[in-house]
Amino acid sequence: MPKATYHFPRGFLWGTASAAHQVEGDNKNNQWWAWEQTGHTNGTSGRACDWWAGRWGEDFERAAASGQNAQRLSVEWSRIQPAPNRWDEDALERYRVMLKGLHERGLTPLVTLHHFTDPLWLAEFGGWESEAVVALFEKFVRKTVGALKEFCSLWCTINEPNVYALSGYAHGAFPPGVNNLKRAVQVEANLLRAHAAAYHAIHEVQPQARVGYALHYRPMLPKRAWSPLDRLMRNISYTGINMAFPSAISTGVMKTPLGKFIIPEAKGTQDYLGLNYYSQDTITFNLFNPKHLFTHMGFPADADFSDTKFIANIPEGLYSSIKWAAHTYPGLPILVTENGVESADDRMRPRYLAGHIHQMWRAVNFNWPVQGYFHWSLVDNFEWERGWTQRFGLWALDPETQIRTKRPSADLYADICNENGLSSDMVQKYCPEVFEKLFPS
Ligand code: BGC
């Protein structure tokens, strides 16, 4: 049996990722909380992981004790600016204490400034549909970065703008539950303007900052490679879902299926690319599906599926995502800002994790500049419209009692972080079913 270790470059960042609303608890002043109270989600966020009441400390402890050296989290706009004309200095102070707590434990913070939630006052005033949001977001960013810059210099302006716009305004699973592609595209354009404004503002407030955003990137394949219609639908979906932000950051022009937006100030606004990769889609032309633009998006029938079939375990997709990033932005650092899987009994997670780390290692060996990896997530947390039905944590959480229980994957990830690599011994111990694939004899 071959013995080997796939090592990563020195200084590689290993962490876990979270978002304020999903872990803090009692975030009552944003649009998601309101949406949850009206029965749109599978359960409510409630106390979540209870971070706001102080449990961030024990979770940071867990992360540090398991060899991680970085941590991605987000700040909650509605806490920092509870009303348009009011800043909550205590909330900012609490975030300062949290970020200081990361440094004390040897964890480099990566802070996201917008992760799906908006203050209620913003949502009531029209949210991201009105261009007025751009100046409001910039103001919030200046204030927040000014207050936290002592403890953070790695920023993510907006998490998954494509998911925010499409889920909220095209298929409606996120608030405000709208089904209108034109409005979705308008929202995405405003997210891009806001990202660009934030990028420039952060560099003014903190010249040495490294600023980017997190792109939810979906590699896609036509189901029947020979079919021109499958290929056409694949190209339309791929461009529509993935390319709005990347095209604009390359050229200053945001291309969408409904036309172009000229946003020159967006050109070049990233110091790294944040890549969120979960799975890869298979696209088929379907004459009987006019509602979804004659497109069926799915996974291969024989795929290795997660608990609720939300994710198919396709590690090669992470490799092709990194390849795409490295070729689109030569030389630009890449951070895998999210990757993970829902697996309550942890049967699938070890092989998902090992397979994806292996593919990331393959990418690193082409000298594609991947500098870090953030697993989603340290502890089970509130999964948006899916609520508590999906368990992404290395640690299981009982939201009632707040008791955390370590899953085997937590030990596997700790071994990876401590080794700065993935070894054949680890794979043999935690997921022997993929040994031959990862370490062929
Ligand atoms: C989001 C996270 C979410 C994860 C798993 C990503 O799209 O950024 O907030 O929890 O997927 O569902």
Side-chain angles (χ1 to χ4, degrees):
M1 194 181 294
K3 271 204 178 271
T5 301
Y6 297 138
H7 274 117
F8 283 81
R10 208 170 296 142
F12 198 81
L13 295 179
W14 293 104
T16 38
S18 64
H21 190 74
Q22 296 178 270
V23 293
E24 286 180 353
D26 288 331
N27 254 320
K28 296 185 174 165
N29 197 19
N30 68 34
Q31 98 284 25
W32 263 95
W33 183 276
W35 181 252
E36 291 161 33
Q37 310 317 308
T38 46
H40 287 94
T41 52
N42 258 307
T44 57
S45 55
R47 283 162 75 203
C49 305
D50 212 25
W51 276 23
W52 199 247
R55 279 187 212 267
W56 59 267
E58 57 168 284
D59 284 344
F60 290 180
E61 210 55 62
R62 283 187 178 90
S66 54
Q68 296 176 36
N69 59 10
Q71 193 66 203
R72 176 177 176 226
L73 52 79
S74 81
V75 292
E76 174 62 33
W77 186 354
S78 67
R79 286 198 195 277
I80 293 173
Q81 194 178 8
N85 54 2
R86 192 155 62 83
W87 301 106
D88 186 334
E89 299 295 340
D90 292 344
L92 280 169
E93 183 52 30
R94 209 174 300 190
Y95 284 124
R96 280 172 58 85
V97 172
M98 285 167 71
L99 296 184
K100 194 158 168 263
L102 286 177
H103 284 285
E104 286 162 359
R105 293 169 177 84
L107 299 161
T108 299
L110 161 53
V111 173
T112 307
L113 292 153
H114 185 276
H115 195 128
F116 294 168
T117 52
D118 300 313
L120 264 184
W121 59 261
L122 178 71
E124 279 158 11
F125 142 103
W128 288 85
E129 286 193 77
S130 148
E131 212 177 312
V133 68
V134 177
L136 295 169
F137 184 65
E138 183 186 334
K139 208 168 145 198
F140 156 71
V141 168
R142 279 182 189 277
K143 174 78 182 175
T144 304
V145 172
L148 304 183
K149 67 179 179 188
E150 190 184 342
F151 300 112
C152 179
S153 57
L154 184 56
W155 303 95
C156 169
T157 56
I158 298 178
N159 179 70
E160 299 188 344
N162 50 350
V163 171
Y164 178 94
L166 293 171
S167 301
Y169 294 84
H171 34 87
F174 280 15
V178 171
N179 297 104
N180 182 322
L181 196 54
K182 195 162 168 237
R183 286 167 69 183
V185 163
Q186 186 59 47
V187 164
E188 202 161 357
N190 285 333
L191 286 160
L192 179 67
R193 294 182 178 108
H195 157 79
Y199 177 89
H200 296 297
I202 297 171
H203 278 292
E204 266 176 51
V205 177
Q206 189 186 38
Q208 81 279 21
R210 292 210 296 156
V211 187
Y213 73 104
L215 173 67
H216 186 102
Y217 182 79
R218 306 287 298 199
M220 294 178 197
L221 295 177
K223 184 165 182 191
R224 297 157 295 193
W226 51 264
S227 157
L229 285 172
D230 284 5
R231 289 205 304 268
L232 176 69
M233 292 314 167
R234 180 265 173 207
N235 291 346
I236 293 173
S237 303
Y238 179 86
T239 311
I241 290 174
N242 291 313
M243 290 312 290
F245 261 57
S247 66
I249 288 179
S250 297
T251 62
V253 180
M254 183 178 114
K255 290 189 196 132
T256 78
L258 301 185
K260 289 182 185 168
F261 292 76
I262 303 194
I263 307 179
E265 68 276 21
K267 195 171 169 188
T269 51
Q270 62 185 3
D271 306 324
Y272 68 89
L273 178 70
L275 208 52
N276 291 0
Y277 172 79
Y278 286 89
S279 201
Q280 168 176 297
D281 297 309
T282 304
I283 309 294
T284 329
F285 171 77
N286 182 343
L287 188 59
F288 305 105
N289 200 359
K291 213 178 135 215
H292 293 108
L293 306 172
F294 303 102
T295 299
H296 173 76
M297 191 176 269
F299 297 127
D302 60 353
D304 181 17
F305 286 107
S306 66
D307 291 354
T308 66
K309 298 206 164 180
F310 185 66
I311 288 169
N313 178 18
I314 308 178
E316 296 75 12
L318 178 58
Y319 173 84
S320 64
S321 303
I322 295 171
K323 183 176 179 182
W324 165 80
H327 284 84
T328 310
Y329 307 108
L332 187 76
I334 299 164
L335 293 174
V336 177
T337 34
E338 282 181 36
N339 171 246
V341 72
E342 38 125 12
S343 177
D345 61 13
D346 209 42
R347 250 184 259 165
M348 179 184 200
R349 189 175 292 100
R351 68 172 174 273
Y352 182 98
L353 180 57
H356 285 76
I357 300 295
H358 171 237
Q359 291 295 333
M360 184 167 70
W361 173 82
R362 284 187 59 220
V364 165
N365 278 282
F366 283 90
N367 272 333
W368 298 333
V370 187
Q371 296 185 347
Y373 172 89
F374 294 83
H375 190 75
W376 188 278
S377 190
L378 181 69
V379 176
D380 288 341
N381 57 50
F382 180 72
E383 286 295 339
W384 307 112
E385 81 283 12
R386 289 149 276 134
W388 295 101
T389 59
Q390 296 185 343
R391 303 297 176 134
F392 277 81
L394 297 170
W395 292 70
L397 171 77
D398 178 340
E400 292 302 316
T401 61
Q402 286 296 319
I403 291 173
R404 279 109 165 114
T405 311
K406 192 159 66 155
R407 294 189 168 111
S409 299
D411 286 331
L412 168 58
Y413 192 50
D415 287 356
I416 293 170
C417 298
N418 284 314
E419 181 63 43
N420 195 26
L422 175 76
S423 74
S424 47
D425 286 345
M426 295 174 202
V427 173
Q428 186 57 39
K429 178 169 172 194
Y430 294 100
C431 43
E433 70 275 21
V434 290
F435 190 90
E436 189 54 35
K437 191 164 177 219
L438 270 50
F439 293 92
S441 39

